[in-house]
Amino acid sequence: MKGTVSIQGSKNTVLPIIAATLLANGVSVIYNCPHIEDVKVMCKLLECLNVKTTLTNHVLTIDTSNARYACLPEELTCKLRSSVLLLGSMLAKWEKARLGMPGGCAIGMRPIDIHIDGFKAMNVNVDCDEGVLCCASSGLSGCDYTLRYPSVGATENLLIAASGIESVTVLRGVAKEPEVIELCKYLTSMGACIEGIGTDVLIIKGCALLKSVTYTNVYDRIVAGTYLLLATAMNSEVRLTGINDISYLKNVILVCIKLGACIIKINDSIRIASDGFVKAGDFSTGIYPDFPTDLQPVLAAVLMRASGESVITETVFENRFSIAKELSKLDADITVDKNKMIINGKKEIQGHTVKATDLRQGAALVVAGVMARGYTTITDISFIERGYEDIVGDVASLGVDIAYV
Ligand code: UD1
């Protein structure tokens, strides 16, 4: 495998930022926005609130000048997890919100209790009526709230709401993922005052009149990580461009090196070389800066051909092992025991028909298909299109025989 891939803009960074644009009245512009299904659905949700959106050539323009309160229908909210982030901006703007339950990948129970408890602490009444979230407040107020777990989504939701009200909010035990840091920077540029960015405690002095701003999205660290792991598994020489802040990828790079790859950074690109011989080992997912849970299925695929027994311990989601069943169809030796996946590496993996059941598991099947002998057919690829702009084009540009059928 040889070639260069330009890494798309980050999905998980842009989605909360799209939700946050609602806090301003005017035109916000986001550069380097990926053309992916989740962004399109998020824009449709904003359009329900009479917000105008256009996405052309990776520039997303959002005009909230005529935003009007409305309920958000479940047929849209159920399509992605980040729909729940509109709760924060709608509550700050209108002191009420009514929306269907959020969806997203089926990788565990994915409750929203931390979001809800946080909003309750901000003086919001929350009811759930036949799958519809009904929230209202007689006036949102700042609070001092400790998250029982550093949930990325809950941190983002509460951060957005706190930034849009004239009050001081202290959030303790927050997530420190790069996506949270980018959201903090964005809200700060809109006019909110946020202290403690990148630490466990955020002190937010909000403002009811935030301004519309322009933002350039960062690269997608999970897409970059997918291609780094793919290159590690193959005999390859690959360059990834658009990597403006390599620190967001540190743990993935360390894992690729542990697996046997050689990696160097040149300006805003990464060069990776591998002989395709993968070393077995023990790995664990964790909250940032540990190895991201989103790349756990991809790592599992890479370990199918490692030099012995490997173990991956999943610590973030309680049921994120759908990859095991599909990789077994490729003749991989893989078992699941509680929160661990045990993978016995084999010399040969055989192509087969497999089914994508969530976004990252689907991407892992692409990696597995490249590694396997013969052809692999992946069905239900709409899951992959939720987050990867052009995985087929990217992988084909590295010399792989891959196509839509
Ligand atoms: C985000 C990412 C997702 C990534 C995950 C962890 C987006 C759109 N998605 O998801 O790709 O895998 O972070 O890095 O950015 N939890 C609760 N109660 C809550 C909220 C979460 O118990 O109210 C639990 C979850 O069930 C899970 C853990 O906390 O076990 C982590 O979830 P969270 O950090 O909230 O992930 P998301 O924001 O959903």
Side-chain angles (χ1 to χ4, degrees):
M1 256 177 41
K2 198 169 181 158
T4 300
V5 176
S6 162
I7 300 300
Q8 69 180 66
S10 165
K11 167 176 98 67
N12 289 353
T13 303
V14 89
L15 294 173
I17 284 176
I18 294 174
T21 61
L22 196 58
L23 296 175
N25 291 328
V27 181
S28 308
V29 182
I30 302 170
Y31 294 104
N32 198 26
C33 180
H35 287 246
I36 50 173
E37 211 38 50
D38 274 17
V39 166
K40 290 174 193 164
V41 177
M42 203 65 179
C43 289
K44 278 189 193 154
L45 282 161
L46 282 184
E47 281 157 20
C48 297
L49 304 172
N50 207 35
V51 171
K52 283 205 178 80
T53 67
T54 51
L55 175 57
T56 319
N57 294 330
H58 300 105
V59 181
L60 176 62
T61 307
I62 300 175
D63 184 355
T64 56
S65 312
N66 299 311
R68 205 174 43 224
Y69 176 80
C71 304
L72 299 178
E74 205 204 341
E75 57 267 30
L76 286 178
T77 60
C78 74
K79 290 195 169 159
L80 79 171
R81 177 76 175 170
S82 296
S83 56
V84 77
L85 301 180
L86 287 164
L87 207 50
S89 46
M90 288 177 77
L91 282 169
K93 200 174 181 86
W94 293 302
E95 297 191 330
K96 59 182 178 176
R98 218 179 132 85
L99 66 165
M101 289 301 272
C105 291
I107 51 180
M109 291 194 314
R110 307 196 83 177
I112 52 167
D113 58 304
I114 305 173
H115 304 238
I116 289 173
D117 287 350
F119 285 128
K120 284 183 178 164
M122 294 176 91
N123 193 33
V124 176
N125 283 318
V126 184
D127 271 329
C128 189
D129 183 15
E130 292 182 356
V132 177
L133 270 171
C134 308
C135 305
S137 173
S138 53
L140 266 78
S141 57
C143 64
D144 189 328
Y145 175 68
T146 304
L147 284 73
R148 70 164 173 82
Y149 178 90
S151 153
V152 176
T155 301
E156 293 167 344
N157 221 345
L158 300 172
L159 190 51
I160 292 172
S163 297
I165 57 170
E166 297 280 346
S167 208
V168 176
T169 303
V170 182
L171 298 176
R172 299 177 196 275
V174 296
K176 294 180 280 191
E177 265 66 4
E179 294 75 20
V180 172
I181 294 173
E182 288 300 317
L183 178 62
C184 286
K185 288 187 200 160
Y186 184 75
L187 292 165
T188 304
S189 72
M190 289 178 88
C193 180
I194 304 176
E195 281 174 40
I197 298 176
T199 73
D200 299 312
V201 183
L202 292 172
I203 303 167
I204 306 124
K205 191 164 174 287
C207 173
L209 268 181
L210 292 176
K211 53 180 188 289
S212 306
V213 292
T214 294
Y215 172 76
T216 301
N217 190 17
V218 294
Y219 71 95
D220 195 307
R221 66 188 174 106
I222 305 301
V223 172
T226 304
Y227 297 155
L228 284 177
L229 286 162
L230 169 63
T232 301
M234 304 296 292
N235 187 334
S236 65
E237 254 185 68
V238 170
R239 190 164 73 104
L240 304 182
T241 60
I243 313 291
N244 39 14
D245 187 343
I246 199 170
S247 67
Y248 290 170
L249 266 178
K250 191 173 160 200
N251 256 288
V252 181
I253 289 174
L254 290 177
V255 164
C256 291
I257 291 170
K258 179 170 162 181
L259 292 167
C262 195
I263 296 180
I264 52 168
K265 179 182 186 308
I266 305 169
N267 301 325
D268 74 342
S269 71
I270 293 179
R271 274 178 189 274
I272 175 163
S274 172
D275 57 11
F277 291 99
V278 176
K279 292 181 197 154
D282 287 354
F283 304 87
S284 176
T285 65
I287 55 176
Y288 189 81
D290 287 346
F291 186 78
T293 170
D294 284 356
L295 288 174
Q296 173 255 93
V298 183
L299 177 59
V302 172
L303 293 170
M304 291 188 302
R305 263 201 350 219
S307 58
E309 184 186 278
S310 300
V311 178
I312 310 179
T313 306
E314 170 59 50
T315 71
V316 180
F317 289 102
E318 73 286 353
N319 186 18
R320 192 170 203 171
F321 292 123
S322 63
I323 189 66
K325 185 176 160 207
E326 297 309 298
L327 292 184
S328 300
K329 293 181 185 165
L330 303 182
D331 212 19
D333 179 351
I334 178 163
T335 48
V336 175
D337 182 16
K338 297 194 182 95
N339 70 335
K340 292 186 193 304
M341 224 179 330
I342 300 115
I343 305 149
N344 274 302
K346 282 184 163 184
K347 275 209 177 97
E348 293 288 346
I349 297 297
Q350 191 56 47
H352 204 276
T353 296
V354 287
K355 182 177 158 80
T357 54
D358 73 66
L359 165 59
R360 307 301 174 189
Q361 178 260 20
L365 292 177
V366 174
V367 171
V370 176
M371 294 168 64
R373 273 170 69 94
Y375 278 96
T376 296
T377 305
I378 305 169
T379 66
D380 301 82
I381 56 166
S382 57
F383 283 107
I384 308 175
E385 288 163 344
R386 287 191 42 204
Y388 290 78
E389 201 172 71
D390 185 18
I391 198 167
V392 169
D394 289 345
V395 174
S397 75
L398 299 176
V400 173
D401 182 5
I402 178 171
Y404 292 104
V405 286

